[in-house]
């Protein structure tokens, strides 16, 4: 029986790579539903190729445009619109697996809907865990969902851990997340104030969207990944470590109690963790190029504490600070960072001021322990308001 797949955020990088893997295995998978925010042209092309039952657009205007163009092309895909429609296609009874690839806090609600419905949830949305935290993980447990991480680092950790989660605490000494260091790994920290959006988005190893590319340049992506790892794998923050590995060949590692280290290696291609998530516990062809060990000149590693890295990447340390704070604090950091990165991409603040906005927002917002989606969204809104106020002051 074919697995029916919903892809949330299908026109983004992860969504497009998911569809590439799915297309390689028409005997195993079929596309049930797709979603996008505003990219009508890309969605039309995806509907023409995959003939999904549903396509969701974020706004009514984009939805109506897609609806008309589908009708003109004789495509029977039904168009739904708005946030509620995301919940529908994420929890639909005919769906087997959901790829959660919507960037930002907007992806939290459909992730919760999929978890409640007990779906195989392929999680590429950092915010579900960073913002949702224990609420999200509790929903996964209560709904009986199968949560499979798609970030290359968390997929690597999952592949390197023992099969039985009940043994992780006793057998594992620490989890080591690798980081490429992004485009500014060797750049003098004093010059980062002059960084342009184009420079920040030019990642040396990965092809990604603009927001996550900036997060990689600040290493805030790694801070968010540390928070994710805390929730995914249950180890305390002090047993989570980051090491800089510029070649992006080793995607992450697990060190066991006997000091043995198990690592997952591969080319920097998101189709590898996507294929693993789709087929787990099997493995299928991903379309990625295999590693050629004869051409690997070297693999190097740098401590975050070495050289100028703490000055280059001040945001990374915030991961451990917010994990030790009130449970809602990571949600505040995430909201602040989204606002700050958007302001930088719009050239309203400098690159180095992203961290300043994050710090100011953490200081300004009183946090609590959210117990519902509504409370999480209210906290997110307060944090965004405080972050916008900080941006306005800095941009003045």
């Amino acid at each position: 029986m074919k697995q029916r797949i919903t892809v949330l955020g299908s026109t983004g990088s992860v969504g497009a790579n998911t569809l590439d893997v799915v297309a390689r295995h028409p005997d195993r998978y079929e596309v049930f539903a797709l979603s996008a925010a505003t990219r009508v042209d890309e969605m039309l092309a995806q509907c023409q190729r995959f003939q999904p039952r549903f396509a969701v657009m974020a706004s009514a205007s984009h939805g109506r445009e897609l609806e008309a163009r589908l009708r003109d092309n004789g495509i029977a895909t039904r168009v739904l619109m708005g946030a509620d429609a995301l919940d529908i296609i994420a929890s639909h009874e005919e769906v087997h697996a959901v790829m959660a690839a919507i960037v930002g806090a907007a992806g939290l609600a459909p992730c919760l809907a999929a978890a409640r419905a007990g779906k195989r949830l392929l999680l590429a949305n950092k915010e579900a865990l960073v913002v949702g935290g224990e609420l999200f993980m509790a929903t996964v447990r209560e709904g009986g969902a199968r949560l499979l991480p798609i970030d290359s680092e968390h997929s690597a950790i999952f592949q390197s851990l023992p099969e039985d989660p009940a043994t992780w605490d006793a057998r594992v000494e620490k989890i080591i997340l690798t980081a490429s260091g992004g485009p500014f790994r060797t750049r003098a920290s004093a010059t980062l104030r002059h960084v342009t959006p184009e420079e920040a988005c030019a990642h040396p190893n990965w092809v990604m969207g603009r927001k996550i590319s900036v997060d990689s340049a600040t290493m805030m992506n790694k801070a968010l990944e540390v928070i994710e790892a805390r929730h995914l794998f249950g180890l305390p923050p002090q047993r989570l470590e980051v090491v800089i590995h510029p070649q992006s060949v080793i995607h992450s590692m697990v060190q066991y109690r006997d000091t043995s280290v198990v690592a997952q290696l591969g080319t920097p291609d998101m189709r590898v963790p996507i294929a693993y998530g789709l087929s787990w516990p099997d493995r299928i062809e991903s379309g990625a190029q295999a590693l050629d060990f004869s051409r690997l000149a070297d693999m190097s590693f740098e401590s975050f504490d070495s050289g100028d890295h703490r000055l280059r990447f001040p945001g990374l340390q915030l991961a451990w600070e917010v994990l030790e704070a009130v449970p809602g604090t990571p949600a505040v950091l995430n909201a602040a960072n989204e606002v700050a990165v958007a302001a930088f991409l719009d050239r309203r603040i400098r690159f180095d001021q992203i961290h300043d906005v994050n710090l100011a927002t953490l200081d300004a917002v009183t946090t609590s322990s959210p117990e519902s989606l509504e409370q999480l969204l209210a906290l997110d809104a307060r944090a965004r308001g405080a972050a916008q106020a900080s941006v306005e002051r800095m941009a003045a």
Side-chain angles (χ1 to χ4, degrees):
M1 181 179 176
K2 289 186 180 181
Q3 298 287 298
R4 288 184 287 274
I5 312 296
T6 284
V7 183
L8 304 174
S10 65
T11 60
S13 175
V14 173
N17 277 312
T18 301
L19 293 176
D20 180 88
V21 174
V22 166
R24 294 171 186 275
H25 302 277
D27 57 322
R28 294 182 65 122
Y29 308 110
E30 63 179 272
V31 177
F32 180 83
L34 302 172
S35 85
T38 61
R39 297 178 180 175
V40 174
D41 289 342
E42 290 93 328
M43 178 60 83
L44 175 63
Q46 290 178 350
C47 290
Q48 287 174 318
R49 182 176 184 187
F50 293 99
Q51 303 287 315
R53 189 179 307 181
F54 297 103
V56 173
M57 299 301 295
S59 72
S61 60
H62 292 101
R64 286 191 292 269
E65 180 184 350
L66 176 64
E67 202 168 40
R69 295 178 67 180
L70 288 172
R71 185 170 55 250
D72 291 344
N73 284 273
I75 301 170
T77 297
R78 180 182 173 188
V79 178
L80 305 176
M81 308 165 206
D84 290 345
L86 295 175
D87 292 0
I88 292 172
I89 63 171
S91 61
H92 198 285
E93 61 181 5
E94 295 186 43
V95 170
H96 298 101
V98 176
M99 170 58 76
I102 295 175
V103 175
L108 176 57
C111 282
L112 284 167
R116 279 192 297 269
K119 303 301 182 185
R120 173 181 289 228
L121 181 52
L122 312 182
L123 191 65
N125 172 285
K126 296 180 188 298
E127 292 74 19
L129 283 165
V130 175
V131 178
E134 284 302 324
L135 175 64
F136 177 70
M137 293 304 296
T139 305
V140 169
R141 290 189 294 269
E142 292 163 7
R146 166 59 68 179
L147 184 61
L148 295 164
I150 299 301
D151 272 354
S152 61
E153 294 82 0
H154 299 99
S155 177
I157 293 164
F158 182 71
Q159 294 179 58
S160 302
L161 283 166
E163 288 187 10
D164 184 2
T167 69
W168 291 352
D169 183 63
R171 297 176 64 185
V172 172
E173 180 67 25
K174 63 181 176 180
I175 286 171
I176 305 168
L177 293 98
T178 57
S180 70
F184 307 133
R185 180 178 62 85
T186 61
R187 182 160 171 164
S189 58
T191 69
L192 293 178
R193 64 184 287 120
H194 304 300
V195 163
T196 67
E198 291 74 22
E199 290 174 314
C201 290
H203 195 282
N205 299 338
W206 298 91
V207 177
M208 305 180 292
R210 281 162 60 82
K211 194 268 181 184
I212 193 172
S213 294
V214 175
D215 282 347
S216 180
T218 62
M219 277 187 68
M220 182 54 66
N221 71 318
K222 208 56 52 176
L224 299 178
E225 286 169 14
V226 168
I227 298 168
E228 281 186 276
R230 168 71 181 97
H231 293 296
L232 278 170
F233 307 117
L235 296 188
Q238 61 269 25
R239 288 163 64 186
L240 305 174
E241 184 179 312
V242 172
V243 64
I244 294 176
H245 169 50
Q247 294 79 22
S248 295
V249 172
I250 296 178
H251 298 306
S252 278
M253 300 172 272
V254 173
Q255 181 175 312
Y256 285 80
R257 295 289 190 182
D258 62 359
T259 73
S260 298
V261 176
V262 177
Q264 188 265 338
L265 287 71
T267 52
D269 190 320
M270 281 305 299
R271 291 176 296 179
V272 175
I274 289 168
Y276 183 72
L278 282 169
S279 63
W280 181 89
D282 297 332
R283 290 184 184 265
I284 58 174
E285 191 268 331
S286 67
Q289 184 177 359
L291 278 179
D292 182 350
F293 286 93
S294 68
R295 299 181 65 181
L296 287 179
D298 71 303
M299 289 194 291
S300 60
F301 303 89
E302 302 165 11
S303 167
F304 176 63
D305 293 321
S306 67
D308 210 19
H309 289 326
R310 283 191 177 270
L311 294 175
R312 286 190 191 94
F313 309 120
L316 178 57
Q317 187 58 37
L318 293 177
W320 290 271
E321 294 178 14
V322 300
L323 282 172
E324 298 291 351
V326 177
T329 310
V332 175
L333 174 61
N334 177 75
N337 186 64
E338 284 191 23
V339 170
V341 169
F344 166 69
L345 289 170
D346 287 343
R347 305 178 194 275
R348 299 178 62 208
I349 62 173
R350 300 190 311 267
F351 180 80
D352 60 315
Q353 289 179 315
I354 295 173
H355 182 61
D356 296 336
V357 171
N358 292 342
L359 287 179
T361 306
L362 287 169
D363 287 341
V365 177
T366 301
T367 57
S368 60
S369 300
E371 298 179 356
S372 67
L373 176 60
E374 292 71 26
Q375 290 180 7
L376 278 172
L377 295 178
L379 179 59
D380 178 80
R382 291 202 306 275
R384 289 175 189 276
Q388 289 285 8
S390 294
V391 167
E392 296 300 330
R393 289 193 298 269
M394 293 177 192

